[in-house]
């Protein structure tokens, strides 16, 4: 098998709005290797969330191909797509999306419950995951009793629950102060090192960009630039001089 975990070829995603067709994604080609941390940047409305959702099996492409971990998503039947979403991808969102009536540990158990993992096993794994993200002391707290950074670490533990090879983040630091954002990026880099999990992170945040191995810039549904590690290092060195907007968009 090739080392490419995600292969997107000539991807197109249209939305219909009344009589009009909106081309949210247009001729997108990209690849992500196992264990990479890849960023996606671009202005509002450029198609970042649409792209992430298509990779995560939440929206079907209207053209082109997308393969994740050897599965061609356009060929999967609905029931296989449900299995794909449960086992192949984990999601983290800007506003954490934890269930407010469930404790931290219960939130982490949710994907395992859906996958049919028996209670003792899912409790054990949820505890282990909360320890990995540094939240084991707070496992019985409700989301409202946790800070934003703490809630996002619980959301990362939840995303890891069924051991997906890939985690997709839509503005994961968008609601965090810079200290919590740095801590989250550190956690993501450690997870990549320890578990070889692959991350694709949509972001506007320089802290996230600095922690990526590669970054794609998209505009009007098309990839306009690809930034390598060298470009990202240059960006790091020039902090304060080059703004993210000047450099990436
Ligand atoms: N469900 C939908 N129905 C119709 N049009 C949509 C839908 N979702 C997104 N769009 C349109 O597709 C385009 C891309 O939207 P998308 O949400 O992917 O952008 P984005 O880059 O994530 O923006 P932001 O940075 O504001 O989150 C926009 O023009 C948007 O209006
Ligand atoms: Mg978006």
């Amino acid at each position: 098998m090739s080392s490419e975990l995600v292969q997107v070829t000539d991807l197109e995603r249209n939305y219909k709005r009344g009589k009009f067709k909106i081309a949210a994604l247009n001729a997108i080609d990209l690849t992500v290797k196992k264990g990479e941390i890849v960023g996606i940047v671009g202005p509002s409305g450029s198609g970042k969330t649409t792209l992430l959702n298509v990779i995560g099996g939440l929206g079907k492409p209207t053209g082109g191909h997308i393969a994740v971990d050897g599965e061609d998503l356009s060929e999967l039947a609905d029931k296989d797509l449900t299995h794909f979403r449960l086992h192949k991808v984990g999601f983290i969102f800007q506003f954490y999306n934890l269930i407010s009536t469930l404790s931290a540990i219960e939130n982490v158990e949710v994907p395992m419950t859906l996958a049919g993992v028996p209670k003792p096993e899912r409790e054990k794994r949820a505890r282990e995951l909360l320890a990995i993200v540094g939240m084991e002391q707070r496992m019985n707290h409700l989301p409202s009793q946790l800070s934003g950074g703490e809630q996002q670490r619980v959301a990362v533990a939840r995303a890891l629950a069924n051991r997906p090879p890939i985690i997709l983040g839509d503005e994961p630091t968008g609601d965090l102060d810079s200290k919590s954002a740095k801590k989250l990026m550190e956690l993501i880099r450690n997870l990549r090192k320890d578990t070889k999990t692959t991350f694709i992170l949509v972001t506007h945040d320089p802290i996230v960009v600095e922690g990526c191995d590669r970054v794609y810039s998209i505009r009007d549904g098309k990839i306009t630039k690809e930034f390598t590690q060298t470009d990202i290092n240059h960006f790091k060195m020039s902090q304060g001089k080059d703004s993210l907007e000047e450099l990436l968009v």
Side-chain angles (χ1 to χ4, degrees):
M1 214 182 99
S2 78
S3 63
E4 252 94 66
L5 187 71
V6 178
Q7 178 115 39
V8 173
T9 321
D10 204 20
L11 181 74
E12 182 192 276
R13 176 72 163 108
N14 298 323
Y15 290 112
K16 278 204 197 95
R17 198 176 280 165
K19 272 193 275 179
F20 299 99
K21 197 177 84 175
I22 297 166
L25 299 175
N26 188 357
I28 298 263
D29 290 308
L30 65 83
T31 55
V32 179
K33 288 190 170 51
K34 185 167 170 51
E36 267 194 305
I37 303 176
V38 171
I40 297 175
V41 300
S44 180
S46 58
K48 304 180 299 294
T49 296
T50 305
L51 178 60
L52 213 60
N53 287 347
V54 173
I55 294 173
L58 288 174
K60 285 210 169 180
T62 44
H65 279 281
I66 167 153
V68 179
D69 203 19
E71 307 213 53
D72 186 332
L73 295 196
S74 42
E75 285 174 3
L76 290 187
D78 283 352
K79 125 178 152 332
D80 298 325
L81 214 49
T82 306
H83 185 271
F84 171 88
R85 283 195 294 263
L86 208 48
H87 294 273
K88 294 289 174 109
V89 288
F91 280 93
I92 39 181
F93 303 95
Q94 177 171 3
F95 297 110
Y96 331 121
N97 290 22
L98 298 174
I99 298 174
S100 61
T101 52
L102 299 183
S103 65
I105 185 163
E106 288 166 342
N107 266 285
V108 178
E109 284 181 51
V110 168
M112 295 186 271
T113 306
L114 294 171
V117 178
K119 178 78 178 162
E121 197 183 324
R122 49 174 209 260
E123 235 179 57
K124 180 168 175 280
R125 175 147 177 82
R127 274 170 199 268
E128 286 167 3
L129 286 167
L130 286 171
I132 289 170
V133 302
M135 288 298 294
E136 72 275 43
Q137 305 298 329
R138 316 294 300 275
M139 67 179 194
N140 293 317
H141 286 63
L142 293 171
S144 59
Q145 297 167 324
L146 301 172
S147 73
E150 289 169 342
Q151 288 184 64
Q152 197 61 305
R153 299 216 304 276
V154 173
V156 170
R158 177 183 60 183
L160 289 164
N162 290 327
R163 299 184 174 82
I166 179 161
I167 292 191
L168 305 171
D170 199 348
E171 300 276 0
T173 63
D175 195 47
L176 302 182
D177 59 79
S178 62
K179 198 170 147 220
S180 308
K182 279 187 183 136
K183 252 182 114 171
L184 184 77
M185 236 10 241
E186 228 168 79
L187 172 65
I188 286 174
R189 293 200 51 103
N190 285 335
L191 286 169
R192 178 270 288 280
K193 188 157 63 91
D194 298 342
T195 64
K196 284 274 177 294
T197 305
T198 303
F199 290 85
I200 302 180
L201 306 172
V202 164
T203 193
H204 287 113
D205 186 346
I207 292 167
V208 175
V209 167
E210 287 180 12
C212 288
D213 304 320
R214 256 179 338 117
V215 174
Y216 288 103
S217 173
I218 82 171
R219 190 177 263 266
D220 296 332
K222 284 180 187 280
I223 290 177
T224 49
K225 286 185 197 164
E226 184 188 336
F227 295 89
T228 63
Q229 190 69 67
T230 315
D231 301 320
I232 294 166
N233 284 340
H234 175 82
F235 173 65
K236 261 191 229 175
M237 313 264 293
S238 69
Q239 270 304 312
K241 286 184 232 133
D242 294 352
S243 74
L244 187 62
E245 284 69 27
E246 281 164 17
L247 199 82
L248 295 182
V249 180

